Amino acid sequence: MDDSIETKLIIRHKAEEDEEEGDLNKRIWEESKKIWRVSLPSMISRVCAFGTIVITQSFIGHINEIDLAGYALVQTLTVRFVNGILLGMSSATETLCGQAFGAGQEHMMGIYLQRSWIVDLITLTILLPIFIFATHIFKFVGEEESISNSGGYISLWFIPFVYNYVFTLTIQMYLQAQLKNMIIAYLSASQFVIHITLSTLFVYKLNMGIPGAMVSLLMSSWFLVIGEFIYIFGGWCPDSWKGFTVAAFKDMLPMIKFSISSGIMLCLELWYYALLVLLAGYMADAEVAIAAFSICLNLNAWEFMVSLGFLGAACVRVANELGRGDAKAVKFSIEVLFATSFAIGVLFFVLCLVFGKKLAYLFTNDVRVVETVSDLSLLLSFSVLLNSIYPILSGVAIGAGMQATVAIVNLVCFYLIGIPLGALLGYVTSLEVKGIWIGMICGVLAQTVTLIYMIWSTDWDDQVSKASERLARFYLKSNNENPDQIANEY
């Protein structure tokens, strides 16, 4: 009889374990669907959008080696500098929209979007002298005259281009917070095809050179912006877009402060790579060093666009669950995100090891540049692997509104560890460009370890309370109760 009871207990215990395992698998599946619903469109849009910049570099690289270095200097230093500021400041929109959607305050999302447009437009206009006086800036920091002149000319072409960031960055965050960013994926894929077509026509068929490459970049980038406007203003976001409103000008100071803390966080991360390119420009053969280093960085950044898809998913899922007040769901989502992203990172790591030595031929026929890129392929592979980890952690921080803390982490890890170590290894030893890259990896590794500890030790119940306080501080009445809503609704 005892044996029979014990057997029944074992069977019951096994059944309970199977039920728990089945329930866990179901939860993982449901969470994965939510993650991919945000991350896949974001990946497609970011890969395609950044791909237009990489494709432009490829076309310019087959025109002239000096112009390749000049374009690399502008794109990696100036454009990345400005993009870092705007992307960082726009992440405030991501936090606020995500938490508002989770809390059922959809009408506030359109107001947050308009506030971000105002802040970003003013910020970018203030930064325009960086493009206008690029030649003098490059010469002042010690770059070669021929590369500085080429970079200064190309920099002027980028002025109308960078204004698209004001809208594309913020709109993507606004749409993905409400799980409507598939339209961005469709538009970005179309943008990529249009860009390749126009580049081939203008550069190869019409022999327009640099102007042809840059005009195709401008046309394709603003195609995306116009498509986004049509989608929002056309009535496909009825709950979150109620038309332009003067309420967007209210509470601007808290919004600016939040945007600045967000901006500093991501700026310190993106400028880190830009400064490393600047260090490469002081090498003995600056033209080769800049071209090779920027090719590797652009390949790394292109793959990083996939990771940014998971960053967006991390932000949305964490922000949504914090807005709903569910701390346990936040922690579970982080675990699933981390496992998924790391698995994909391992795949790209292997691909870079296999094909890393042949990738440079996509951008140039210069044997010196190809050999330098080949030497960096192993380090590129490890950078790609790290790409699958720390963006998730940054996305969690953005979703929780912890940008200020991460900004301090980025400052210490990148600027007190990575850059000094890279400069030391690059100039004191014989490693040169390899040394700079090793320093970069060490800075990223330090940041990754610190963020893992920070996220692991976070009290998510406390973060739920903070999210509730933040939403209450920014909250305005809905349209039916708001007399400031103006008539021109779309």
Side-chain angles (χ1 to χ4, degrees), residues 102-339:
Q105 300 177 6
E106 286 93 339
H107 71 281
M108 287 299 301
M109 298 176 70
I111 297 174
Y112 293 145
L113 178 63
Q114 292 171 61
R115 286 175 182 170
S116 67
W117 286 347
I118 296 168
V119 173
D120 286 6
L121 274 170
I122 294 172
T123 302
L124 179 56
T125 303
I126 293 173
L127 293 172
L128 279 187
I130 297 174
F131 292 90
I132 297 172
F133 301 106
T135 299
H136 303 290
I137 294 173
F138 294 150
K139 289 180 180 178
F140 177 76
V141 296
E143 297 297 332
E144 288 187 4
E145 184 173 357
S146 60
I147 298 176
S148 298
N149 290 333
S150 173
Y153 171 70
I154 293 173
S155 182
L156 296 175
W157 281 101
F158 268 110
I159 292 176
F161 169 79
V162 292
Y163 270 97
N164 90 87
Y165 285 147
V166 171
F167 304 104
T168 56
L169 295 176
T170 51
I171 290 175
Q172 178 166 336
M173 294 171 181
Y174 160 80
L175 290 175
Q176 73 180 16
Q178 51 191 312
L179 306 179
K180 289 186 176 182
N181 59 334
M182 183 56 74
I183 183 63
I184 303 291
Y186 294 139
L187 290 172
S188 298
S190 302
Q191 172 198 12
F192 190 69
V193 173
I194 290 171
H195 179 67
I196 294 177
T197 303
L198 291 176
S199 296
T200 303
L201 174 64
F202 293 156
V203 177
Y204 289 152
K205 300 296 183 182
L206 301 179
N207 295 318
M208 292 176 62
I210 301 297
M214 297 306 298
V215 166
S216 64
L217 180 63
L218 292 176
M219 293 178 66
S220 61
S221 63
W222 280 97
F223 163 83
L224 177 60
V225 176
I226 293 171
E228 291 169 339
F229 283 157
I230 292 173
Y231 183 79
I232 295 175
F233 301 157
W236 282 275
C237 300
D239 295 326
S240 58
W241 181 262
K242 304 296 183 179
F244 289 105
T245 171
V246 296
F249 293 92
K250 293 183 178 181
D251 297 320
M252 286 298 294
L253 186 58
M255 183 72 178
I256 292 171
K257 289 180 179 178
F258 195 29
S259 296
I260 289 174
S261 65
S262 302
I264 291 174
M265 173 193 142
L266 286 179
C267 285
L268 290 174
E269 191 168 311
L270 293 175
W271 294 349
Y272 176 53
Y273 297 98
L275 289 175
L276 291 169
V277 172
L278 187 63
L279 288 178
Y282 299 132
M283 294 290 174
D285 196 345
E287 180 185 327
V288 173
I290 291 175
F293 202 78
S294 68
I295 286 173
C296 286
L297 277 182
N298 273 345
L299 289 171
N300 182 56
W302 204 2
E303 186 277 333
F304 185 65
M305 296 302 110
V306 174
S307 302
L308 282 181
F310 285 113
L311 184 152
C315 176
V316 170
R317 292 295 303 127
V318 170
N320 285 172
E321 297 302 340
L322 286 177
R324 293 188 181 99
D326 193 340
K328 290 184 178 179
V330 172
K331 290 184 279 190
F332 183 73
S333 181
I334 293 171
E335 293 170 358
V336 177
L337 274 160
F338 191 88

